[in-house]
């Protein structure tokens, strides 16, 4: 009843996948859904006895849901290919999924900031990654798709790590790509120009002060600044889109 499937979606993740899959060896099965990688991703997955499937990328939420659907266990542990848990997490997870009153758990993710791990007192980012298969489904939010759970969710303390971007250039490239990917979602939700003026500053304050990124020296400052830039870019691109549409309609 308490079997667990690890689920990972991949595309050209040879640099980080070994660390991820090594940390998941305690699971009853490992599902890897690849999007036609051109590096050694699929070979690495097979080394770790994963069940490897290959499908065209359908979008973040749909791709992850397709991988989850292939799992045969009652519980799902959903990780990205650049994430991993440490050895002590296996026992913690094993005890957690024995509960009859909880349907999903949020895990506290510790971030790699360019050249260092976040300080132990930096507030982690909590993500729902452990859940009963029949109680959750991926939403359709572009880029930041996440499981939506029908049931009780609790926080679960364990060591959960995100390797993230290795340098500022990679971070900026990701910000540019993700902010473009979010345009469709911003169209659905509506838009106010005041967000461009005030929201990026709030995001910097939230990360640098409230989440205690100031404890991480220059790496923390730059991480908070690039996060604020991401917030700016999301709405700046929407404004640009509106202006171009007005010009075309004139």
């Amino acid at each position: 009843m308490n079997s667990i499937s690890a689920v990972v979606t991949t595309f050209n993740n040879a640099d980080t996948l070994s660390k991820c899959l090594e940390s998941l060896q305690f699971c009853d099965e490992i599902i890897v859904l690849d999007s036609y990688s051109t590096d050694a991703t699929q070979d690495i997955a097979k080394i770790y006895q994963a069940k490897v499937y290959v499908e065209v990328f359908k979008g973040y939420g749909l791709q992850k849901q397709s991988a989850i659907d292939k799992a045969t266990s009652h519980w799902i542990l959903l990780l990205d290919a650049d994430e991993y848990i440490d050895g002590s997490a296996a026992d913690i997870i094993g005890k957690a999924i024995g509960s009859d009153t909880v349907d999903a758990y949020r895990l506290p993710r510790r971030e790699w900031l360019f050249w260092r791990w976040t300080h132990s007192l930096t507030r982690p980012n909590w993500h729902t990654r452990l859940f009963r298969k029949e109680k959750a489904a991926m939403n359709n939010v572009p880029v930041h798709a996440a499981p939506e759970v029908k049931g009780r969710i609790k926080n679960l303390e364990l060591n959960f790590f995100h390797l993230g971007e290795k340098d500022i250039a990679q971070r900026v490239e990701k910000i540019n790509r993700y902010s473009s990917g979010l345009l469709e979602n911003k169209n659905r939700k509506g838009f106010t120009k005041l967000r461009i003026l005030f929201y990026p500053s709030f995001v910097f304050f939230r990360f640098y002060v409230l989440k205690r990124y100031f404890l991480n020296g220059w790496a923390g400052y730059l991480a908070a600044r690039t996060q604020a830039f991401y917030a700016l870019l999301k709405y700046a691109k929407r404004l640009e889109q509106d202006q171009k549409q007005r010009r075309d309609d004139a």
Side-chain angles (χ1 to χ4, degrees):
M1 182 63 181
N2 293 326
S3 60
I4 181 169
S5 296
V7 174
V8 183
T9 55
T10 59
F11 177 69
N12 287 348
N13 297 117
D15 289 344
T16 61
L17 188 58
S18 292
K19 188 80 172 176
C20 173
L21 298 185
E22 183 178 0
S23 74
L24 299 173
Q25 292 300 295
F26 69 95
C27 296
D28 295 286
E29 69 174 357
I30 300 175
I31 303 295
V32 171
L33 177 56
D34 188 59
S35 302
Y36 290 94
S37 291
T38 57
D39 63 4
T41 293
Q42 293 183 33
D43 294 330
I44 292 171
K46 292 172 183 176
I47 290 173
Y48 287 92
Q49 306 301 311
K51 297 178 181 178
V52 180
Y53 301 87
V54 182
E55 294 179 0
V56 173
F57 184 70
K58 301 175 286 293
Y60 292 95
L62 290 174
Q63 196 77 359
K64 290 181 184 297
Q65 186 61 54
S66 180
I68 291 168
D69 290 342
K70 293 172 173 54
T72 62
S73 299
H74 298 283
W75 282 86
I76 303 295
L77 176 57
L78 179 66
L79 294 192
D80 290 337
D82 59 355
E83 298 172 339
Y84 67 95
I85 55 179
D86 76 359
S88 64
D91 288 337
I92 296 172
I93 290 173
K95 293 176 182 177
I97 65 177
S99 171
D100 292 328
T101 61
V102 180
D103 298 298
Y105 292 95
R106 287 180 291 262
L107 310 183
R109 194 174 74 176
R110 190 175 180 185
E111 308 290 339
W112 177 260
L113 303 182
F114 308 123
W115 57 80
R116 59 165 292 172
W117 288 108
T118 51
H119 190 281
S120 60
L121 295 179
T122 299
R123 294 185 183 276
N125 297 311
W126 289 85
H127 300 276
T128 303
R129 296 301 186 84
L130 180 63
F131 49 87
R132 296 181 192 271
K133 183 180 178 182
E134 70 275 11
K135 290 287 188 175
M138 298 298 299
N139 60 28
N140 294 319
V141 176
V143 180
H144 300 299
E148 291 187 351
V149 178
K150 294 181 180 179
R152 187 184 180 200
I153 306 175
K154 287 184 63 176
N155 291 342
L156 183 64
E157 291 281 357
L158 50 73
N159 293 321
F160 174 34
F161 303 93
H162 178 218
L163 292 167
E165 297 79 44
K166 62 182 180 181
D167 53 39
I168 296 171
Q170 191 178 77
R171 174 62 177 160
V172 171
E173 186 277 329
K174 184 176 181 179
I175 285 172
N176 189 47
R177 176 163 44 87
Y178 274 26
S179 57
S180 294
L182 284 170
L183 267 179
E184 180 183 350
N185 196 46
K186 295 303 174 191
N187 289 343
R188 291 199 301 268
K189 288 186 176 180
F191 171 67
T192 170
K193 295 179 179 65
L194 290 178
R195 289 178 181 269
I196 295 179
L197 293 176
F198 300 110
Y199 189 59
S201 296
F202 168 73
V203 169
F204 175 78
F205 176 78
R206 178 159 61 91
F207 275 82
Y208 196 65
V209 178
L210 300 183
K211 293 180 73 68
R212 302 174 187 163
Y213 272 45
F214 65 87
L215 295 172
N216 302 290
W218 281 111
Y221 177 81
L222 293 172
R225 278 295 176 199
T226 54
Q227 194 68 31
F229 177 57
Y230 179 35
L232 170 66
L233 213 56
K234 287 189 295 186
Y235 294 107
K237 287 184 178 182
R238 174 63 199 275
L239 176 63
E240 178 185 55
Q241 186 182 61
D242 286 353
Q243 296 299 317
K244 288 181 177 179
Q245 186 64 49
R246 289 182 181 180
R247 181 196 63 193
D248 293 341
D249 292 342

